[in-house]
Amino acid sequence: MYRLAQHPFTAQNKATTRSRSRGVRFVLAWLEAQAGVTWQERWASTGAESLPKEGWLDLARQWFIRTEGLVLRDSQLSPGLLMLICGDVIRPTSTWLLSRTSQHLARAMASARDPEGFEHLGTQAASDKVPPAVLRIARHRVSVILARNGGSIRDITVGDCVEILKAQDATHAATGDRTAFYRLLHRAGVFPQDAPSTIRAFTGGQGQLSAAEMIDRYEIVCKPVRDLLVDYLCERQPALDYTSLAAVSRVLGSLFWKDLETHHPGINSLRLPPEVASAWKTRHRTKTTTVRRTDGSTASVTSRRESARSDLTTVRAFYLDLAQWAAEDPARWASWAAPSPVTSAEANQKKHQRRVKAKMDQRTRERLPVLPLLVITSQRNRLQAAAVLAAARQAEPGTIFAVDGRTLFRPVLKSASGAKVWAQELDAPRTAVRAARHDLTHEDHKAFWAWAAIEVLRHTGIRIEELCELSHHSLIQYRLPTTGELVPLLQIAPSKTDQERLILVTPELADVLSRIIMRVRDSNNIVASVAAYDPHERVWNPPMPLLFQHRIGTENRAMHPTCIRTYIAQALASTGLTDASGERLTMQPHDFRRIFITDAVMNGMPPHIAQLVAGHRVIDTTMGYLAVYPREVIEAHHAFIARRRAARPSEEYRTPTDEEWDSFLGHFEKRKLSIGTCGRAFSTPCIHEHACLRCAMLRPDPAERPRLIEIRDNLIDRIAEAKREGWLGEVEGLETSLAGANDKLVQMDAAIARTASAVDLGMPTFNQIAGRATDSRRSTPFSTS
């Protein structure tokens, strides 16, 4: 008690000092009556930490009423407990400290426990321009760590920060920036040099699993087989990345062996009977998933497994590897060598690969013509969002401003962060209260990064993982040995193939990269170094000045691929484009890679150069990305048709007269079509490729004129759609068909005019017909003689 009454536990205000000393005596008197030897044991025995928030005050007050008849106020007890905590007499748990809203803990801890340490934190916060509200929360979290673990700020460890972070989650005391205290301590040099720059390294990812942990997830019963699978993964691990190794463990551990144990209990050998292997392959072709209906109920849906053939290949490779290793190391692997239940034909993926190739080519051809529209739209969205944000920042809060034909109102928000700018769309000033608010800062953020991602992807053809790993260090210069000219290059860090490559920076790409750098620079013109988590390898990369980074709260974070995909999807949705089925067109970042390779080869880049630019190990992969139209086949086919038509008499391609048609149809059987009659012989092939509207051999039927008008209107709509979507190859053919339809309408109108000139003789009545059939000389129509 004497020590707590001395410096540094005293305050400048004498009344505050007396209040603290009196409170210490009251709390120590209460604790002295509790069970335990040390003050910490006596505090724990009170059960105060199990009570909500300020429950300990009720316990102490009731004790003084019972024992001494004193009625104490909260202000007579709280200062005493605060001094005991700052003096390291008792150490409450972190959850209890975080559950109490103490406004004096950080201030008292800074003056009593470690004044120099807190002053250093304040200096570092000022250097990093940490907002006062965030600094206040960070100081409180540091004070809680000192109150729980003792010592000074220099004694805080990374483990202490992880513990306080878990306590925040348990007590829901995660208001504001929940990790700012760790960054502040790290920047202040409290932790060792090898400490992670972000505490999310301990909470933001699961980390890599060992081969044994991968297999043990599936709870395999047969231990020898479990050990075999672990050994197999360990053998293949040096040649595989983590994602591929995890995929192999899932196929062998879950889809293969665990399925066999489920349906064939007691199985313990890789030598599968034919009926067992056949039953497993049948089950593997389908999968059952649980879906949630609109009414909230769930249902099981069975569908075809898309990866079935690839999984069979993995199982076959497993058996073949064991057979090969058995020949090389019989003592270890020979007992497991067995015939593969998967044949080479079942594991053949050529047909599947051809289907995927055709599907991807169609996807690329559908998106290649609309890429210019997406580029223009993303650029327009970026400029518009920047203009609106700039106008809103110039407008005073509570005023109306206009920009790009829009009228907006900037409200006065007391609780909003100063970094955000809000506005309300208005039809008239009186609707300002009812209008929805727009976060103009976030809209500008989304529009800029959507444009930046689209531009970088379409100019480089890099993968989305490589895009997220681009850093300020990726921009390098190379001097050409022949001319001495400096050429800017973009260094692509190893990603999927672990092979570094360089891409030439075009002027358009250089402009995009310069705008990105200017946006991510801080007030000191420095691109902040951030640590990024690799979701594929499940590791944290070292801090780098990444280009694709954004600020969340007071922390700069690397952009996640999902975030970039969302921004691109929103930019594409603003174009209003649809696919062939009428659904909204979608585009993934990898589509830009396919479009880049296809466009490069179509414009003269040799495929082997495209392979190096794309970073493929083999040229077959690059050729699989190509969606080039078969130009040689199309041109050869057109030449063949031209030669065949040139070899036939030109008179066959003129429109015949009515007499010629009658003579012709008299010798050949007529063939009825949807809009007329074809004069082609029944047993001969059509030499005009069934282009009936264009064919002179079609004799249109005037009765089918409404149908022909529908066909003509449909052709007009298809021509408009082809021009809008950029399908220039189809426009010419459709216009030729439209000319043929108009020509047939003229022929129909001429035939209708000739029919209208005939004289209508009328329809005779029944009496007239009966009168001509009766003999007028008879008095009765029937004679009885």
Side-chain angles (χ1 to χ4, degrees):
M1 183 183 301
Y2 175 77
R3 186 171 66 88
L4 294 179
Q6 305 299 319
H7 181 77
F9 299 99
T10 57
Q12 294 181 355
N13 191 329
K14 295 182 179 180
T16 303
T17 302
R18 289 194 298 270
S19 176
R20 289 179 177 179
S21 300
R22 184 172 58 252
V24 168
R25 290 195 299 270
F26 285 143
V27 175
L28 289 180
W30 170 55
L31 292 178
E32 193 173 12
Q34 309 301 321
V37 178
T38 64
W39 295 114
Q40 178 65 25
E41 293 177 354
R42 293 169 179 171
W43 165 256
S45 65
T46 62
E49 295 185 0
S50 62
L51 299 177
K53 293 189 177 181
E54 307 299 334
W56 75 274
L57 291 170
D58 295 333
L59 290 178
R61 278 197 300 266
Q62 294 298 328
W63 182 85
F64 278 103
I65 292 174
R66 290 195 311 268
T67 58
E68 301 183 14
L70 293 177
V71 179
L72 301 180
R73 300 185 303 273
D74 294 350
S75 59
Q76 293 176 296
L77 294 172
S78 297
L81 183 65
L82 180 62
M83 289 298 99
L84 292 176
I85 294 174
C86 294
D88 205 13
V89 177
I90 61 175
R91 295 180 179 180
T93 61
S94 301
T95 54
W96 186 81
L97 290 168
L98 290 172
S99 64
R100 301 175 67 251
T101 56
S102 174
Q103 301 178 357
H104 308 286
L105 177 62
R107 189 183 306 113
M109 193 69 71
S111 61
R113 181 72 64 86
D114 191 2
E116 295 180 358
F118 278 92
E119 183 180 359
H120 182 55
L121 286 183
T123 304
Q124 185 63 49
S127 175
D128 296 342
K129 297 183 179 180
V130 178
V134 177
L135 177 60
R136 183 172 58 255
I137 297 175
R139 285 167 56 91
H140 180 265
R141 299 298 186 264
V142 173
S143 301
V144 170
I145 294 176
L146 298 182
R148 173 57 184 166
N149 301 312
S152 62
I153 291 179
R154 286 291 176 183
D155 300 324
I156 296 178
T157 64
V158 175
D160 296 336
C161 297
V162 175
E163 180 184 358
I164 196 69
L165 193 65
K166 294 180 180 179
Q168 285 184 157
D169 296 335
T171 58
H172 304 285
T175 57
D177 194 336
R178 62 196 302 269
T179 61
F181 72 94
Y182 181 89
R183 294 195 304 275
L184 194 59
L185 292 172
H186 188 277
R187 295 274 295 169
V190 175
F191 304 135
Q193 295 182 354
D194 58 348
S197 60
T198 173
I199 198 172
R200 292 185 295 113
F202 302 98
T203 60
Q206 180 183 3
Q208 292 188 355
L209 301 177
S210 64
E213 291 173 334
M214 291 181 184
I215 295 300
D216 289 340
R217 290 180 298 179
Y218 309 116
E219 300 178 354
I220 294 178
V221 177
C222 183
K223 189 176 184 305
V225 174
R226 177 263 179 197
D227 296 339
L228 171 67
L229 295 177
V230 172
D231 293 342
Y232 178 77
L233 293 181
C234 292
E235 287 291 324
R236 295 203 58 189
Q237 187 170 6
L240 298 177
D241 56 20
Y242 182 80
T243 303
S244 301
L245 188 69
V248 173
S249 69
R250 174 179 173 271
V251 172
L252 298 181
S254 176
L255 300 181
F256 176 58
W257 191 256
K258 185 59 179 180
D259 181 85
L260 290 175
E261 288 189 341
T262 301
H263 294 85
H264 306 280
I267 188 170
N268 58 6
S269 174
L270 296 181
R271 191 178 297 272
L272 305 181
E275 61 275 9
V276 174
S278 177
W280 168 74
K281 287 183 284 189
T282 301
R283 292 191 303 270
H284 188 69
R285 294 191 187 100
T286 60
K287 62 178 181 180
T288 302
T289 56
T290 302
V291 297
R292 184 175 296 277
R293 298 172 178 171
T294 55
D295 58 356
S297 61
T298 58
S300 298
V301 178
T302 301
S303 59
R304 177 175 171 269
R305 190 186 299 273
E306 296 294 336
S307 62
R309 191 171 293 273
S310 176
D311 297 340
L312 293 180
T313 303
T314 301
V315 174
R316 178 173 173 81
F318 170 62
Y319 274 84
L320 295 181
D321 287 341
L322 292 180
Q324 180 180 353
W325 297 347
E328 299 173 356
D329 189 0
R332 184 178 181 186
W333 305 104
S335 60
W336 294 106
S340 173
V342 181
T343 63
S344 59
E346 292 172 332
N348 193 333
Q349 299 192 55
K350 291 184 178 180
K351 185 176 181 180
H352 174 71
Q353 292 173 352
R354 287 194 296 267
R355 291 178 178 176
V356 173
K357 165 69 173 169
K359 183 178 179 181
M360 291 297 102
D361 288 354
Q362 177 61 27
R363 181 181 178 91
T364 302
R365 295 190 184 107
E366 191 176 29
R367 284 151 179 79
L368 181 58
V370 305
L371 181 59
L373 179 59
L374 176 60
V375 172
I376 294 174
T377 303
S378 64
Q379 171 76 345
R380 183 178 66 249
N381 294 344
R382 178 182 70 88
L383 296 177
Q384 290 178 350
V388 173
L389 179 60
R393 284 175 173 167
Q394 293 178 359
E396 293 294 332
T399 60
I400 297 175
F401 63 97
V403 58
D404 291 340
R406 300 169 59 188
T407 304
L408 300 102
F409 171 75
R410 183 176 181 183
V412 180
L413 303 176
K414 296 181 179 180
S415 60
S417 174
K420 289 184 175 292
V421 178
W422 295 80
Q424 296 170 319
E425 197 87 25
L426 299 183
D427 294 328
R430 65 176 182 273
T431 62
V433 179
R434 299 192 299 270
R437 291 175 180 173
H438 295 275
D439 186 353
L440 300 183
T441 309
H442 187 57
E443 290 180 359
D444 174 72
H445 171 84
K446 293 190 299 182
F448 177 85
W449 289 113
W451 168 80
I454 291 172
E455 290 295 320
V456 174
L457 288 173
R458 80 181 184 95
H459 282 300
T460 61
I462 59 179
R463 304 176 180 90
I464 182 63
E465 297 83 5
E466 297 167 341
L467 177 76
C468 295
E469 294 175 1
L470 285 179
S471 70
H472 201 185
H473 300 160
S474 300
L475 296 172
I476 60 176
Q477 291 181 344
Y478 173 71
R479 187 177 297 276
L480 296 177
T482 55
T483 62
E485 179 185 1
L486 283 176
V487 178
L489 297 176
L490 188 64
Q491 183 181 23
I492 306 301
S495 176
K496 186 175 181 180
T497 59
D498 292 334
Q499 184 176 359
E500 185 182 64
R501 66 186 190 277
L502 298 173
I503 296 178
L504 180 66
V505 177
T506 61
E508 296 83 0
L509 179 59
D511 179 67
V512 176
L513 294 176
S514 64
R515 291 182 182 275
I516 293 175
I517 293 174
M518 287 189 295
R519 190 176 183 91
V520 299
R521 277 177 175 173
D522 57 18
S523 58
N524 298 322
N525 291 328
I526 297 175
V527 179
S529 295
V530 297
Y533 178 71
D534 189 342
H536 298 286
E537 293 296 327
R538 293 189 178 182
V539 296
W540 282 87
N541 296 324
M544 293 286 291
L546 300 180
L547 298 184
F548 281 80
Q549 60 173 277
H550 55 171
R551 196 167 184 84
I552 299 180
T554 60
E555 180 184 12
N556 289 343
R557 294 187 184 181
M559 283 191 178
H560 195 273
T562 303
C563 180
I564 296 177
R565 291 189 180 96
T566 302
Y567 293 163
I568 294 177
Q570 292 173 352
L572 186 61
S574 63
T575 63
L577 293 172
T578 58
D579 56 16
S581 62
E583 299 293 333
R584 190 178 68 179
L585 188 68
T586 60
M587 185 174 289
Q588 296 295 330
H590 214 71
D591 291 325
F592 292 94
R593 182 171 173 82
R594 297 180 181 275
I595 291 174
F596 173 82
I597 296 176
T598 300
D599 184 69
V601 175
M602 289 179 63
N603 286 278
M605 179 181 288
H608 68 283
I609 301 298
Q611 171 197 350
L612 299 177
V613 174
H616 291 147
R617 288 180 178 175
V618 293
I619 197 172
D620 291 342
T621 307
T622 306
M623 299 304 295
Y625 275 60
L626 295 180
V628 180
Y629 288 90
R631 184 180 304 173
E632 296 180 357
V633 177
I634 295 175
E635 293 177 352
H637 193 193
H638 275 295
F640 166 71
I641 295 176
R643 289 194 304 270
R644 185 176 59 186
R645 289 183 174 178
R648 300 191 66 86
S650 60
E651 296 181 354
E652 293 186 2
Y653 293 93
R654 66 176 177 84
T655 302
T657 63
D658 294 339
E659 292 76 9
E660 289 174 336
W661 267 105
D662 294 337
S663 175
F664 178 79
L665 296 177
H667 291 82
F668 299 94
E669 184 176 354
K670 296 181 179 180
R671 173 169 292 178
K672 187 67 177 176
L673 301 177
S674 61
I675 57 175
T677 305
C678 177
R680 176 171 56 89
F682 184 81
S683 60
T684 59
C686 177
I687 63 174
H688 304 294
E689 282 67 50
H690 299 280
C692 298
L693 287 177
R694 313 177 189 178
C695 183
M697 303 299 293
L698 174 65
R699 188 70 170 176
D701 185 3
E704 299 296 333
R705 191 176 189 277
R707 175 174 175 79
L708 184 57
I709 291 177
E710 293 179 0
I711 295 176
R712 182 198 62 184
D713 295 340
N714 180 262
L715 287 171
I716 294 175
D717 295 337
R718 290 173 62 189
I719 291 173
E721 179 186 7
K723 290 181 178 179
R724 182 176 66 255
E725 299 293 342
W727 303 332
L728 302 181
E730 297 185 15
V731 173
E732 183 178 357
L734 293 173
E735 289 178 345
T736 304
S737 299
L738 179 61
N742 292 328
D743 183 63
K744 294 300 181 291
L745 282 173
V746 173
Q747 295 182 32
M748 284 186 176
D749 294 337
I752 294 173
R754 290 194 301 271
T755 304
S757 62
V759 178
D760 186 8
L761 299 178
M763 180 66 68
T765 63
F766 176 77
N767 293 334
Q768 293 173 340
I769 298 175
R772 288 196 297 269
T774 303
D775 187 356
S776 59
R777 294 173 298 178
R778 295 182 179 218
S779 59
T780 59
F782 299 101
S783 175
T784 58
S785 59

